[in-house]
Structure formats: structure tokens, C-alpha cells
Amino acid sequence: MSNTSPPENCKFAIPKKGRLHEKIIDLLKGAGIDFRREPRLDVALCVDLPLTLVFLPASDIAKYVGDGNVDIGITGIDIVEESNVVVDRVMNLGFGKCKLCVEAPVADNITDVSDLAGGRIVTSFPFLTEKFFKKFDDEKGTKTKVTEVSGSVEAACSLGLADAVVDLVETGTTMRAAGLEVVAEVLTTESVLIVNPHSQHEDTVQLIKKRIEGYMVAKKYVMITYNIHNDLLDAAIRVTPGKKSPNITSLNDSNYKAVTCLVDRKESNAKMDELHDLGATDILTFALSNTRM
């Protein structure tokens, strides 16, 4: 297998490493997008789909999609905004959530981010940082000096290289260890599926979207089924109304009905408890591997 893609294939860019990589690989497997990647190659042909996966640095994916070098990709909203390219956001994927923030030393006690205008800011997001501080510079007649670095952003203040930094904050552990605190939020980000608006592979793009949506629903919900007396049916349905509506089936015992529907995975145990207390019996939940809604 060579490091190229068949010309008729839709090209799908995903991060080759980093904080999103493993979750995206799990997402693709769950969505039935099967592939085998040979060692040291940055492309992988998918099984039974006219699709080539292209493994790229996450920070380059939005630009590749925007320029039309690949048709579709998964990266962070922060990367899309920083790249300043025109792409269609097909769907947010719900993982990789964090915030891009202005951080300053705790010891400096900065409570108003505009006080940093005209100062020195170190970041891996120069476009977004300059855009964020422009309004303060325009108001105060200052020019904030933004310096781009590729890593270890949080060390810049302690080394005397910056008055503040703009960096991603997920748990805040690294930020606090560096003696920094959040002064302002620039944007909230998560992983997102993007597509080039001029892609010639609309059918494949829609198929990928449908498969990913199906897997995401399967991860969010479980199927619950139970038996309930006719007198308690309305109350039970209020507990489990389903995603659209429950499926209600008659039993041999005409006094009872069987109810089946989807419930949010996070609420499933509480729903089971509530149904049991109401009088439902034979309460079961089933994991879903994939769906089509």
C-alpha cells in the first residue's frame, strides 16, 4: 500500500496523534468505518467504502479541508477558527471539550482582561489572540504584542517572556501548576466534523454523517423494556416518554402491556428505580451498538 489515495475516493482527514486521536478512532470503528493503517503510512483505505483516511496534524486539518486538499475532516472548533478558512460545519461531536482562555499569573491579580492590552501575549493561537485583543487595542490606542509558540505556552510567564498567555484549558491542572489563572474566555471548543463546501463527494459525506450520528445516538441512549399494568401505563409513559414515543405491545395477560423505548444512558438507573417503585416488572436495559433514526 502506498502513501496515496485513489483519485475517485473521498478523502477524510483525522488527527495523527494528540488529545483527539484515540476518541476519533473509536468513533470511526463504532460507526462502521473500518480501515487498516500500515506502519509509517499517513493514509489508510477503508473497507467497503470509497474513502481514504488521511492522518494529519490536528492543527493543519481545517486548512486542508478549506483548501480542498481533503474533502472532510475532524478537528477542534478552535483549529477551525484559528485557521480562518471557509468550511461547512456538519456536526459537533461532543468530545474534546475545553476552553481557549486568557491566563495571567495569579500573583498579578488581573481582574480586567483589557489591562493586558498593549502587553506581551504568548500563544499557539495568534490569529484568535490578535482578534480578541483588537477591540481593546482600538479602544486604548495600544498594540498588543502576540508571539506564537508551538508548545509549553504556560511556561512563558514564569520565564519572563509574557505578561499573559492564551491557551486551551480542560481541567486547569497544568494552568494552576504554572501559577496561572483564567482572566477571560476567548471561545469554547469541541471536536467537529467539517467538510469542504465544494466537495465532489456529497453522497459519501452524507453517508459518513449518517453513520456517525447513528453511533452517537447509540452511545447516548440505552433501550429499556418493562411490563406494566394497564392502570399504571400513563404514569409509566411519563417516566419513559422515549426519544420520539414508546413502543407499547399487548401481552397474553390483557391486564398488562410491554413498553420499550430509548432513555438517556446517564438517567437509565434512576428511570429503572422510578419504574420499579411505580409497579413495573421485568425491567431490562440493553446497550446499543449503532442506530439509524
Side-chain angles (χ1 to χ4, degrees):
M1 182 181 185
S2 63
N3 215 13
T4 59
S5 170
E8 69 275 11
N9 274 20
C10 176
K11 293 187 282 294
F12 187 175
I14 65 172
K16 64 193 304 182
K17 58 182 180 179
R19 66 188 184 92
L20 298 181
H21 175 78
E22 291 301 327
K23 290 185 177 181
I24 291 171
I25 295 299
D26 290 342
L27 175 69
L28 297 181
K29 289 179 179 177
I33 301 173
D34 299 320
F35 66 94
R36 193 177 84 174
R37 183 185 181 188
E38 299 291 341
R40 296 184 294 279
L41 291 185
D42 288 332
V43 301
L45 299 183
C46 292
V47 179
D48 298 328
L49 285 174
L51 184 67
T52 301
L53 296 184
V54 184
F55 296 84
L56 297 170
S59 59
D60 293 340
I61 288 176
K63 180 171 176 55
Y64 273 78
V65 174
D67 290 348
N69 303 115
V70 296
D71 299 280
I72 191 169
I74 296 177
T75 189
I77 292 173
D78 54 309
I79 298 299
V80 176
E81 294 293 329
E82 176 64 25
S83 300
N84 193 29
V85 292
V86 177
V87 296
D88 291 336
R89 295 189 191 180
V90 178
M91 59 190 299
N92 291 354
L93 300 176
F95 58 84
K97 292 182 178 181
C98 56
K99 295 179 180 181
L100 184 66
C101 297
V102 181
E103 307 167 26
V106 174
D108 290 352
N109 194 31
I110 295 173
T111 57
D112 186 345
V113 70
S114 67
D115 291 343
L116 292 167
R120 302 166 301 155
I121 311 294
V122 167
T123 184
S124 298
F125 298 87
F127 175 79
L128 287 173
T129 301
E130 289 176 359
K131 180 180 178 182
F132 180 81
F133 277 99
K134 184 178 186 303
K135 57 182 176 292
F136 302 120
D137 284 338
D138 290 346
E139 291 171 1
K140 304 178 77 170
T142 56
K143 175 60 178 175
T144 302
K145 181 183 178 182
V146 177
T147 301
E148 181 180 7
V149 297
S150 58
S152 300
V153 173
E154 66 281 349
C157 291
S158 63
L159 293 173
L161 302 176
D163 302 305
V165 302
V166 173
D167 199 11
L168 293 173
V169 177
E170 189 169 3
T171 64
T173 302
T174 302
M175 175 187 69
R176 289 188 292 271
L180 304 175
E181 63 182 353
V182 172
V183 178
E185 180 183 320
V186 178
L187 63 78
T188 299
T189 183
E190 65 177 279
S191 54
V192 62
L193 183 69
I194 58 174
V195 63
N196 181 280
H198 307 296
S199 172
Q200 300 300 306
H201 300 277
E202 179 64 20
D203 290 346
T204 303
V205 169
Q206 289 304 313
L207 177 61
I208 292 168
K209 177 177 181 288
K210 180 168 60 179
R211 289 195 177 189
I212 290 176
E213 282 177 334
Y215 178 67
M216 289 175 65
V217 169
K219 296 297 289 182
K220 182 177 181 181
Y221 294 94
V222 296
M223 185 72 73
I224 191 168
T225 180
Y226 58 90
N227 297 335
I228 191 76
H229 194 279
N230 293 337
D231 294 343
L232 301 172
L233 181 60
D234 288 344
I237 290 174
R238 286 194 291 271
V239 176
T240 57
K243 191 171 185 293
K244 293 181 180 178
S245 66
N247 181 38
I248 302 172
T249 308
S250 297
L251 299 176
N252 284 339
D253 185 338
S254 60
N255 293 313
Y256 288 85
K257 294 290 191 294
V259 179
T260 303
C261 65
L262 296 179
V263 296
D264 191 298
R265 181 183 297 271
K266 295 178 181 178
E267 300 175 355
S268 60
N269 281 298
K271 295 289 187 183
M272 293 177 77
D273 293 337
E274 195 169 352
L275 288 168
H276 183 268
D277 293 344
L278 182 64
T281 61
D282 308 311
I283 307 168
L284 305 172
T285 59
F286 301 92
L288 307 173
S289 60
N290 211 318
T291 68
R292 295 293 185 273
M293 294 293 170

